[in-house]
Amino acid sequence: MVEMLLSVSIWFMLCVTLLPQLMLIITERRNTEIFNIGTQLLSEELQKEYNREPSLNHLVKYGVTYTFSKQFNEALQKWELCVTWEDKLSKTYERCGYLNGEQ
């Protein structure tokens, strides 16, 4: 009986220490996927703008809303295209790219 209680308590301690770390790893993995999707979407939108195709204002992909913005950067004399999103930890990210062109 004592051996069984001891083994159960050891398993319980292992679960208590490892489970939060496992959940953190899973969340960070998902955040990395979201970041990669955001970067890919920015590249696709830059390509569309370069080819003069209409672009998106926002896109929902896998439950995450990616918002696009486009403005002319006077200092660089280039168009700045940015994508903004929020990850699973409610942290906001923004990635930007630049295009040559007139206003």
Side-chain angles (χ1 to χ4, degrees), residues 3-50:
E3 289 178 10
M4 186 178 72
L5 286 174
L6 184 63
S7 64
V8 167
S9 65
I10 290 173
W11 278 109
F12 180 73
M13 288 173 45
L14 282 173
C15 289
V16 166
T17 56
L18 294 180
L19 193 60
Q21 294 300 319
L22 178 64
M23 297 309 290
L24 181 65
I25 289 170
I26 290 170
T27 303
E28 285 301 318
R29 180 177 176 209
R30 180 69 181 128
N31 287 340
T32 301
E33 289 175 13
I34 292 169
F35 185 84
N36 290 339
I37 290 170
T39 303
Q40 178 185 1
L41 290 173
L42 177 63
S43 296
E44 290 172 3
E45 285 300 307
L46 284 170
Q47 187 65 36
K48 285 180 186 178
E49 286 291 329
Y50 183 76

Side-chain angles (χ1 to χ4, degrees), residues 35 38-39 41-43 46 67-71 73 76 79-85 93-99:
F35 185 84
T39 303
L41 290 173
L42 177 63
S43 296
L46 284 170
T67 305
F68 299 93
S69 63
K70 180 182 173 185
Q71 63 186 7
N73 188 322
L76 297 175
W79 284 99
E80 180 180 56
L81 181 65
C82 296
V83 61
T84 307
W85 69 92
Y93 288 93
E94 181 178 58
R95 299 276 295 171
C96 296
Y98 298 94
L99 289 168

Side-chain angles (χ1 to χ4, degrees), residues 58-72:
H58 68 277
L59 175 70
V60 178
K61 197 165 189 178
Y62 303 115
V64 178
T65 302
Y66 297 90
T67 305
F68 299 93
S69 63
K70 180 182 173 185
Q71 63 186 7
F72 192 74

